[in-house]
């Protein structure tokens, strides 16, 4: 199968990005033809500070590689290095109704959070459809928040087919894993950089430990059983527990009591280091070699452009441009 997904370089990579998306990327590359990119054009809808933007792009590219995206197996590239994406996005725009975009939750949510309601933000799902359709992806692994954007992608592709009478696109399926569809943040809401409730994957250990120790919990005493519903600490422990024995330990600790929240948080921090220790070391190493990261992105862009070329020919032909 052909798999594609992307993450915006709009903030520091966090645990929600990993379990909700990037871990699936790493697994999928074992047996599929994969395309993973940095959605830098999308990020311009929220980051408009060039030096910071450049830094975020390097951070994300380094993070992708450190977490296990393997350029020998996957095509890793930067969206803006594939200019055909913006061209395709325009053709798609002309067959996308305003109403379809007006129904998108993410636009409304972002505007409610104070993001400028620009045309770019409004048209965001069309550019995302272009990302997906341009390499004829079958499967798109994402977190639950992106589900609607996948529906839009299918609608837009179908609308193009209906308008031009030619089936040039593959209609993609989302891949959303139930148990990590919404990874909670330290305050119990969905972990998201816009809520300031994230646990970062990279960066100094001390503030990360502090964030984990600061996860909001109730006042159940040490010896009592603990509630699991809407309990961010419980969900994070379950998500992080590295093996069935540890998962069973978490269940027992909550069901039987006797383990305080403080000790549970310490265990969560141990899991965190087990999960990310090797990637964190690799990240520091790669940070010292930005030229290598750049080389990988450029090579990825060459492959992505070659892959996109025949589809773009078909699309131009379908609309009557050539
Ligand atoms: P944020 O919400 O922090 O802005 P992004 O929108 O950049 O994160 O998300 C990048 C990828 O990570 C997407 O596939 C998204 O669905 C996934 N993701 C982000 N936060 C979470 C979360 N809390 N739980 C599950 N998946 C998430
Ligand atoms: N909108 C996605 C997010 O915020 C990022 C993204 C852009 C994407 N284009 C994509 C994800 C194509 C999957 C496929 O997380």
């Amino acid at each position: 199968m052909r798999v594609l997904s992307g993450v915006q370089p709009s903030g520091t990579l966090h645990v929600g990005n990993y379990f909700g998306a990037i871990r699936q990327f790493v697994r999928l590359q074992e047996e599929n033809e994969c395309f993973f990119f940095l959605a830098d054009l999308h990020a311009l809808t929220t980051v408009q500070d060039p030096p910071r933007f450049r830094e975020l792009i390097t951070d994300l590219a380094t993070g992708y590689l450190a977490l296990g995206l393997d350029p020998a197996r996957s095509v890793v590239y930067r969206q803006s290095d594939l200019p055909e994406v913006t061209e395709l996005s325009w053709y798609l725009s002309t067959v996308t109704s305003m109403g379809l975009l007006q129904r998108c939750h993410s636009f409304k949510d972002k505007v409610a959070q104070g993001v400028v309601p620009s045309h770019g933000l409004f048209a965001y799902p069309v550019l995302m459809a272009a990302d997906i359709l341009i390499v004829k992806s079958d499967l798109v692994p994402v977190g639950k928040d992106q589900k609607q954007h996948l529906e839009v992608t299918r609608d837009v592709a179908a609308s193009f087919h209906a308008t031009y009478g030619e089936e040039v696109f593959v209609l993609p399926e989302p891949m959303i894993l139930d148990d990590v569809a919404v990874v909670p943040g330290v305050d119990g809401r969905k972990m998201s950089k816009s809520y300031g409730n994230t646990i970062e994957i990279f960066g100094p250990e001390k503030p990360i430990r502090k964030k984990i120790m600061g996860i909001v919990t109730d006042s159940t005493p040490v010896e009592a059983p603990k509630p699991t519903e809407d309990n961010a600490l419980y969900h994070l422990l379950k998500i992080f527990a590295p093996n069935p024995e540890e998962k069973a330990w978490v269940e027992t600790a909550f069901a039987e009591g006797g383990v305080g929240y403080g000790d549970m948080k310490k265990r969560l921090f141990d899991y965190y280091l087990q999960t990310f220790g090797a990637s964190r070391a690799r990240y520091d190493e790669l940070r010292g070699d930005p030229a290598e990261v750049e080389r990988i992105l450029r090579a990825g862009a060459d492959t992505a452009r070659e892959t996109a070329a025949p589809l773009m020919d078909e699309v131009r032909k379908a609309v009557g441009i050539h």
Side-chain angles (χ1 to χ4, degrees):
M1 285 233 261
R2 193 168 276 181
V3 174
L4 169 136
S5 195
V7 174
Q8 297 184 69
S10 54
T12 312
L13 275 181
H14 57 71
V15 162
N17 299 142
Y18 179 69
F19 289 108
I22 298 173
R23 183 170 65 170
Q24 280 68 265
F25 302 179
V26 175
R27 290 178 178 169
L28 284 163
Q29 67 183 350
E30 299 302 318
E31 294 190 351
N32 299 280
E33 190 188 353
C34 291
F35 291 77
F36 298 118
F37 69 99
L38 312 153
D40 56 347
L41 297 175
H42 277 112
L44 282 174
T45 57
T46 52
V47 186
Q48 294 175 330
D49 170 349
R52 167 98 183 116
F53 190 41
R54 267 182 226 115
E55 205 175 278
L56 287 171
I57 290 169
T58 311
D59 284 356
L60 177 58
T62 311
Y64 263 0
L65 299 171
L67 287 167
L69 292 195
D70 176 0
R73 291 172 188 267
S74 296
V75 183
V76 182
Y77 61 103
R78 191 165 32 207
Q79 184 184 33
S80 59
D81 287 337
L82 182 61
E84 292 82 356
V85 156
T86 44
E87 182 189 348
L88 178 58
S89 172
W90 181 257
Y91 303 138
L92 297 177
S93 272
T94 61
V95 297
T96 304
S97 75
M98 292 281 286
L100 183 65
L101 299 179
Q102 271 157 351
R103 285 192 290 279
C104 288
H105 309 299
S106 87
F107 176 74
K108 291 184 250 184
D109 292 349
K110 285 185 179 164
V111 173
Q113 285 161 21
V115 176
V116 179
S118 64
H119 171 256
L121 190 68
F122 187 67
Y124 183 113
V126 183
L127 181 60
M128 180 157 164
D131 293 326
I132 297 169
L133 299 173
I134 203 164
V135 298
K136 300 194 175 198
S137 332
D138 302 297
L139 196 66
V140 182
V142 281
K144 197 172 157 199
D145 56 345
Q146 297 299 316
K147 187 165 186 259
Q148 193 182 32
H149 287 156
L150 263 294
E151 288 159 9
V152 170
T153 300
R154 294 172 60 94
D155 283 355
V156 169
S159 166
F160 186 97
H161 292 162
T163 304
Y164 292 107
E166 288 195 46
E167 304 272 317
V168 292
F169 299 122
V170 170
L171 267 56
E173 295 290 337
M175 174 182 159
I176 300 169
L177 300 186
D178 277 347
D179 53 339
V180 288
V182 185
V183 178
V186 294
D187 61 358
R189 293 187 291 171
K190 177 203 162 208
M191 186 178 293
S192 172
K193 49 201 167 233
S194 42
Y195 295 150
N197 62 356
T198 54
I199 300 170
E200 280 67 41
I201 300 174
F202 304 110
E205 205 172 294
K206 240 182 161 175
I208 291 169
R209 184 171 195 280
K210 206 168 152 206
K211 278 196 175 176
I212 290 178
M213 296 311 290
I215 292 171
V216 177
T217 46
D218 58 32
S219 52
T220 311
V222 174
E223 54 298 344
K226 313 279 184 297
T228 54
E229 206 173 312
D230 293 329
N231 190 323
L233 180 57
Y234 171 76
H235 289 290
L236 286 167
L237 279 163
K238 284 298 291 282
I239 289 168
F240 266 103
N243 54 48
E245 293 74 38
E246 293 292 333
K247 284 194 201 305
W249 180 88
V250 175
E251 290 300 345
T252 313
F254 275 80
E256 294 182 359
V259 185
Y261 283 133
D263 285 337
M264 292 181 181
K265 289 176 186 174
K266 281 187 196 142
R267 188 165 291 228
L268 180 60
F269 184 61
D270 287 343
Y271 291 166
Y272 170 91
L273 290 180
Q274 277 182 53
T275 308
F276 295 122
S279 295
R280 287 167 57 82
R282 173 108 182 96
Y283 184 89
D284 291 342
E285 228 173 80
L286 272 171
R287 267 335 289 251
D289 194 358
E292 170 64 3
V293 175
E294 188 57 30
R295 190 194 61 72
I296 292 169
L297 293 181
R298 299 227 173 206
D302 289 344
T303 310
R305 291 191 77 178
E306 275 165 34
T307 312
L311 182 268
M312 286 308 294
D313 283 345
E314 279 182 84
V315 170
R316 291 184 196 114
K317 213 162 124 219
V319 302
I321 278 192
H322 289 300

